[in-house]
Amino acid sequence: MADTAMSGSETTGGDDPSLAYGKETPMETAIWRLRSRGCWTDAAALLLPRAAEPEAALERAALLIERCLYTEQGWAEAEEALRAAEAVAQSDEQRGAAACERGYLAYASTLLGVRDRADEATAALGRAAALIGPSAEGRPLLDYRRGLVAQNLGDSPQAARAAYRRAHAGATAQGDSLLLSSTWRHLAGLALREGELAEARHGFAESLRIREELGYLVGTAPALTALAGTETEPEAGRLRAEAARLFRLLGGVPTWLATQLAPPTAA
């Protein structure tokens, strides 16, 4: 299962201990902390008073779309918020970012078996690519999501790897640690698929390290589970146990992790 990523620019910055990684205001910190604990609806509600502003409307839609991918719920609310963001977008980059979210929502719907919207996902991300320049801030996230579609909907690991590498380089240049945690994980997943165990273990470990440093709790259990798949006992068991603890703490989110954490059935 592919995990999610919104661009976070979660680099360590500032001297104020009340602010989260890469956040400049108490409001940004509050939104990040709610999001990192799986409280997407509460985080989106903080943005509602600014819903007429293109950037706030887009961030609100992105939060609710991320909720869909982690909980398999809230599709109508996400669609409504995305349409609102599309309506207030003004610049090409804002329209491109909205198209990127449109593609991601369609991808999530297809991946989770809600409704097959693979063609919509591809078309929307293609529109986004035409609107978001190669050096624009939103390009690494777009490249990452095009990689997800190539890997999980198109069964094209080579195209996915190329897209993830572009996203990884862009996220590194922009200091977007949260996105880096996802590119590390998915590049590691491709390496594992090809039998490159050491490379996979390194990538999964980097992803986990970043998410723990950021305090991104909702993304930490999947990272622990992925790393466990490259380790031997007793380390693998320790990692899975910690993932299960976090999974329970967050109320069974992400929902799709439940089958991976279920104890093996007796033969």
Side-chain angles (χ1 to χ4, degrees):
M1 173 63 67
D3 67 339
T4 187
M6 284 168 53
S7 183
S9 297
E10 305 302 335
T11 53
T12 305
D15 297 321
D16 186 345
S18 69
L19 300 181
Y21 281 93
K23 304 306 177 186
E24 297 180 353
T25 68
M27 177 63 78
E28 290 177 352
T29 294
I31 291 170
W32 164 251
R33 287 177 175 161
L34 286 168
R35 175 192 172 194
S36 69
R37 289 160 175 75
C39 302
W40 296 279
T41 303
D42 292 339
L46 294 178
L47 290 162
L48 198 54
R50 297 172 49 218
E53 301 172 21
E55 290 186 3
L58 186 64
E59 184 178 1
R60 181 170 178 271
L63 286 165
L64 293 174
I65 292 168
E66 187 171 87
R67 174 195 174 203
C68 291
L69 193 61
Y70 272 91
T71 69
E72 303 180 61
Q73 297 177 355
W75 301 95
E77 294 91 336
E79 178 66 35
E80 181 181 0
L82 180 54
R83 288 182 180 177
E86 290 169 336
V88 299
Q90 298 174 356
S91 67
D92 280 351
E93 193 162 338
Q94 289 166 354
R95 285 188 285 271
C100 185
E101 294 301 332
R102 168 67 60 192
Y104 196 47
L105 180 61
Y107 162 78
S109 175
T110 306
L111 185 72
L112 296 173
V114 176
R115 182 159 63 90
D116 187 347
R117 299 169 60 181
D119 290 344
E120 180 186 351
T122 301
L125 294 179
R127 289 198 306 274
L131 292 165
I132 300 173
S135 60
E137 182 180 351
R139 191 68 186 213
L141 180 63
L142 171 60
D143 286 335
Y144 169 72
R145 290 176 172 176
R146 295 182 88 178
L148 292 177
V149 169
Q151 180 181 357
N152 297 309
L153 304 188
D155 193 24
S156 180
Q158 291 184 337
R161 181 182 292 103
Y164 292 149
R165 284 176 174 168
R166 290 194 302 272
H168 192 84
T172 300
Q174 293 181 8
D176 191 339
S177 297
L178 184 60
L179 182 54
L180 269 177
S181 77
S182 292
T183 55
W184 271 121
R185 181 179 169 189
H186 286 279
L187 285 167
L190 291 175
L192 185 62
R193 176 174 173 172
E194 295 180 353
E196 299 292 340
L197 186 60
E199 182 181 345
R201 184 183 295 118
H202 173 71
F204 288 141
E206 283 297 297
S207 177
L208 175 60
R209 177 187 62 79
I210 292 170
R211 292 184 174 196
E212 288 181 334
E213 287 179 356
L214 296 178
Y216 189 51
L217 289 181
V218 77
T220 299
L224 286 161
T225 306
L227 182 58
T230 68
E231 296 285 0
T232 57
E233 298 296 347
E235 180 63 10
R238 185 193 70 79
L239 291 167
R240 282 193 294 268
E242 178 61 12
R245 185 188 71 81
L246 285 175
F247 180 73
R248 292 190 298 270
L249 178 67
L250 294 170
V253 174
T255 53
W256 40 261
L257 198 60
T259 55
Q260 298 180 45
L261 293 175
T265 56

